[in-house]
Amino acid sequence: MAKKDEPMSEGEEETEAESISESESESQSLSGGGESKGGLEYIMSLPDVPTKLPPHMELQRTRVFCNADAPIHTDTVQYSGAFAALGEDNSFRLDHFRKNFRIEVMRYSEDDMEFDMIGIDPALANAFRRILIAEVPTMAIEKVLIANNTSVVQDEVLAHRLGLIPISVDPRLFEYADNNAPNERNTIVFKLHAHCERVKGERRRHTVKANDLKWLPNGSEFLLESGDSNSNSTSKPKTHTSFSCSQDSLPEFSNNPIGFKGKLNDIIIAKLGSGQEIELEAHAVKGIGKTHAKWSPVATTWYRMLPEVVLLEEIEDEMAEKLKSKCPVGVFDIEDIANGKKKLTVARPRACTLCRECIREGEEGEKRVSLRRVKDHFIFTIESTGALPPDVLFTEAVKILESKCERVISDLS
Amino acid sequence: MEHGSFSDNSKSTFSLTDEDHTLANAVRFTLNQDPRVSFCGYSIPHPSENRVNIRIQTTGAPAREVLKDACQDLMMMCQHVRSTFDTVVADYKTRNPSEEMDTDDSDNVG
């Protein structure tokens, strides 16, 4: 289609541009940077050329209609020349994006936030969501060295449980371990030694919680099993990590010990019966959610399009009461109007889950209420697991997308 | 990584390793809005291979340049999203300082 469009508009520009006064076409070509633009501008200024999409098309372009049988107009029109015949330029313009893009924070707390992203395409909103879940790094326990485990929880289950505990530490302070030896820049070591004492005549129970994992800033305390016994006597004994200095001597951690914050301390790792014991060391490294979900920095993150509930006619009295009681999330409200009559109003469209209960009656219902979603308005929710606050996670995600673009550009040039 | 013909550089397939829908779909979105592009699409040839192919056909401009411009556009959009987000969040935090203090306190719990 574009191939057809290009020469057509150029042809038009030649004939039209020549017909208008010379001075005008000159100034236009100067400002527009190209002859075709000047010509197009002239055409657009003609009184009978529509400058905007007709309202019904604009509605289809910007809204999803959630009808009783199925949602319609669900696609987003991306192609630059999609509305060329109607004189609407659908090509990408950064200044338009800058002008129309908006963010509004709805809710913010240390571990979850909700904000509205307005004027953006689902392709980008989804990219941010995907990156948040799978590509923003965190620290998680990857290696568990078990010295003793007499609990009922098997070694592998215990190791898996440990891996899933979110560690409250900024992953940006660490490097990826890859195949390097574990050092103070890429590994965090925790020690866990829990024991349930055996007391005669008592049935003791002990709960091991995340809080019992103690940070070892000097690295592993378990010695490497090497056959050489004489090397141990001369130098420092070799352990499972090779820290060149203590982590708590680093400025980032000197007065900010690594551990678990708030309710993360109460995560139950295992329960011990009397006489049972767990002794282990856990090594945490940096990773991304794509490799394993334990590295995902979010419990989940999602977006939904803004619901729009429109009453197509005045709904009064009985019908108003009926519709109000039908809605399970209380979208509608009833307003008293003159002479004892009641009128239905849409009070909380944002709460609408599009259950479509209000239009369930078919034709009749659809004529009364129209349920829509705004295509470029996303209600974005981020639930952080605790490593980083949600706003930092989002900026990190955007940065990752930027670096992906950068990689492609540098690969191509 | 580019597969095209030597005689006609307006049509090319770009094969990106270690990428998936995240980048490919976003780039496809910006490419589609470029008036020079007559066709573009992407595919992941095999789900267990970390590779995505992006096909670009243009009305004449070199496909390589068009892809670079699309990435540039995407990057500019990201930068704008990030700066908008940062200012809005900072704004929200100054308007609701109590919540901000909560976060600060719990940050220091070991």
Side-chain angles (χ1 to χ4, degrees):
Chain A
M1 223 180 119
K3 271 191 175 169
K4 241 166 98 189
D5 282 345
E6 265 309 277
M8 223 179 80
S9 62
E10 256 169 37
E12 271 172 321
E13 159 255 312
E14 262 171 44
T15 49
E16 300 281 346
E18 265 159 38
S19 67
I20 58 170
S21 67
E22 259 190 59
S23 61
E24 205 185 332
S25 72
E26 220 177 83
S27 67
Q28 274 165 343
S29 63
L30 274 174
S31 61
E35 276 191 337
S36 68
K37 208 175 170 194
L40 203 71
E41 263 167 33
Y42 169 70
I43 296 167
M44 293 313 295
S45 67
L46 292 174
D48 54 341
V49 174
T51 51
K52 271 224 161 95
L53 286 183
H56 70 282
M57 287 194 69
E58 188 62 28
L59 204 60
Q60 287 180 11
R61 195 175 72 86
T62 57
R63 302 287 189 273
V64 177
F65 286 70
C66 299
N67 293 345
D69 50 353
I72 54 168
H73 309 308
T74 53
D75 56 331
T76 50
V77 179
Q78 294 184 329
Y79 171 51
S80 61
F83 306 116
L86 291 159
E88 166 100 341
D89 182 16
N90 198 38
S91 59
F92 177 68
R93 302 263 293 277
L94 201 64
D95 52 329
H96 277 205
F97 175 74
R98 288 219 172 103
K99 207 171 70 195
N100 296 325
F101 182 71
R102 227 163 70 235
I103 287 178
E104 283 165 19
V105 180
M106 292 294 153
R107 195 174 73 233
Y108 179 87
S109 70
E110 60 182 289
D111 52 19
D112 107 310
M113 84 180 292
E114 182 181 300
F115 59 93
D116 285 21
M117 229 180 353
I118 304 147
I120 197 164
D121 194 83
L124 265 156
N126 194 39
F128 295 147
R129 184 192 65 86
R130 285 175 63 97
I131 293 172
L132 273 168
I133 292 172
E135 288 178 67
V136 176
T138 58
M139 303 294 287
I141 292 168
E142 167 72 353
K143 243 185 223 157
V144 180
L145 312 174
I146 298 177
N148 187 15
N149 176 20
T150 51
S151 75
V152 290
V153 185
Q154 297 95 322
D155 289 2
E156 65 272 26
V157 178
L158 187 65
H160 181 244
R161 287 183 72 81
L162 286 167
L164 293 173
I165 302 170
I167 303 169
S168 316
V169 61
D170 191 337
R172 291 171 292 182
L173 304 172
F174 288 88
E175 296 162 358
Y176 287 100
D178 295 322
N179 293 322
N180 303 335
N183 62 32
E184 75 280 0
R185 283 270 153 220
N186 62 26
T187 307
I188 306 171
V189 182
F190 293 100
K191 176 172 90 173
L192 174 66
H193 194 174
H195 178 61
C196 184
E197 228 174 300
R198 189 191 293 276
V199 178
K200 224 175 180 186
E202 259 184 79
R203 288 182 61 193
R204 290 234 176 165
R205 292 288 180 271
H206 178 70
T207 308
V208 186
K209 293 187 174 175
N211 198 19
D212 298 324
L213 281 166
K214 294 295 172 226
W215 177 41
L216 297 179
N218 288 308
S220 176
E221 289 174 347
F222 288 175
L223 298 182
L224 260 185
E225 284 175 43
S226 59
D228 268 347
S229 54
N230 44 357
S231 67
N232 286 359
S233 55
T234 51
S235 61
K236 218 166 62 176
K238 273 197 170 170
T239 62
H240 286 265
T241 56
S242 40
F243 281 24
S244 63
C245 66
S246 169
Q247 274 173 336
D248 55 8
S249 70
L250 300 171
E252 303 94 282
F253 310 117
S254 53
N255 44 19
N256 188 18
I258 299 172
F260 309 91
K261 72 178 174 196
K263 41 194 181 281
L264 300 181
N265 275 309
D266 298 329
I267 295 173
I268 295 172
I269 297 168
K271 290 196 174 181
L272 303 181
S274 52
Q276 294 177 347
E277 185 178 2
I278 294 178
E279 186 183 359
L280 57 81
E281 219 173 69
H283 294 200
V285 297
K286 190 173 175 176
I288 55 170
K290 213 189 243 176
T291 322
H292 191 290
K294 69 185 174 189
W295 277 299
S296 186
V298 290
T300 188
T301 179
W302 75 92
Y303 60 80
R304 61 194 185 106
M305 287 181 278
L306 179 79
E308 192 180 59
V309 182
V310 180
L311 302 178
L312 300 176
E313 55 184 45
E314 288 274 281
I315 299 169
E316 291 174 344
D317 300 332
E318 249 177 70
M319 187 45 85
E321 290 284 0
K322 196 175 148 196
L323 274 180
K324 193 195 169 203
S325 64
K326 256 189 179 176
C327 183
V329 289
V331 166
F332 302 111
D333 242 349
I334 285 180
E335 206 174 77
D336 289 314
I337 47 173
N339 44 34
K341 277 192 167 259
K342 288 170 186 164
K343 194 182 91 181
L344 192 72
T345 56
V346 182
R348 288 166 291 275
R350 211 182 151 87
C352 180
T353 58
L354 295 169
C355 64
R356 293 179 283 181
E357 202 55 48
C358 49
I359 53 170
R360 191 70 67 194
E361 280 164 49
E363 287 276 299
E364 287 284 289
E366 269 177 34
K367 267 181 203 157
R368 259 180 242 123
V369 185
S370 174
L371 299 178
R372 301 168 192 164
R373 296 202 137 186
V374 184
K375 276 181 198 173
D376 67 345
H377 186 139
F378 297 96
I379 302 171
F380 216 101
T381 315
I382 301 174
E383 284 179 7
S384 164
T385 52
L388 290 171
D391 55 326
V392 178
L393 286 179
F394 186 77
T395 37
E396 285 301 307
V398 180
K399 275 187 203 160
I400 288 171
L401 188 57
E402 274 171 50
S403 67
K404 278 170 182 284
C405 295
E406 225 164 295
R407 203 202 106 193
V408 174
I409 293 173
S410 67
D411 277 6
L412 286 175
S413 33
Chain B
M1 117 171 180
E2 181 178 354
H3 303 282
S5 73
F6 287 111
S7 53
D8 186 1
N9 60 7
S10 72
K11 306 172 178 66
S12 272
T13 301
F14 298 87
S15 193
L16 311 181
T17 48
D18 297 323
E19 291 298 348
D20 56 4
H21 298 281
T22 307
L23 182 72
N25 194 33
V27 168
R28 188 197 58 151
F29 154 72
T30 44
L31 274 170
N32 258 323
Q33 295 202 327
D34 192 324
R36 294 173 294 176
V37 173
S38 59
F39 172 83
C40 91
Y42 78 92
S43 77
I44 291 174
H46 194 280
S48 49
E49 221 184 324
N50 287 328
R51 172 183 298 282
V52 55
N53 291 341
I54 301 177
R55 174 72 179 169
I56 303 169
Q57 288 170 212
T58 69
T59 51
R64 175 182 279 259
E65 295 308 313
V66 173
L67 178 60
K68 261 203 260 180
D69 288 353
C71 287
Q72 196 68 44
D73 275 350
L74 194 58
M75 232 163 86
M76 304 285 267
M77 283 171 91
C78 284
Q79 275 160 12
H80 181 66
V81 169
R82 194 148 56 91
S83 61
T84 315
F85 184 81
D86 285 346
T87 46
V88 168
V89 169
D91 215 46
Y92 185 87
K93 281 181 183 171
T94 49
R95 272 190 289 117
N96 306 280
S98 57
E99 290 175 56
E100 164 73 344
M101 260 159 63
D102 282 351
T103 3
D104 274 2
D105 285 344
S106 45
D107 266 352
N108 296 329
V109 176

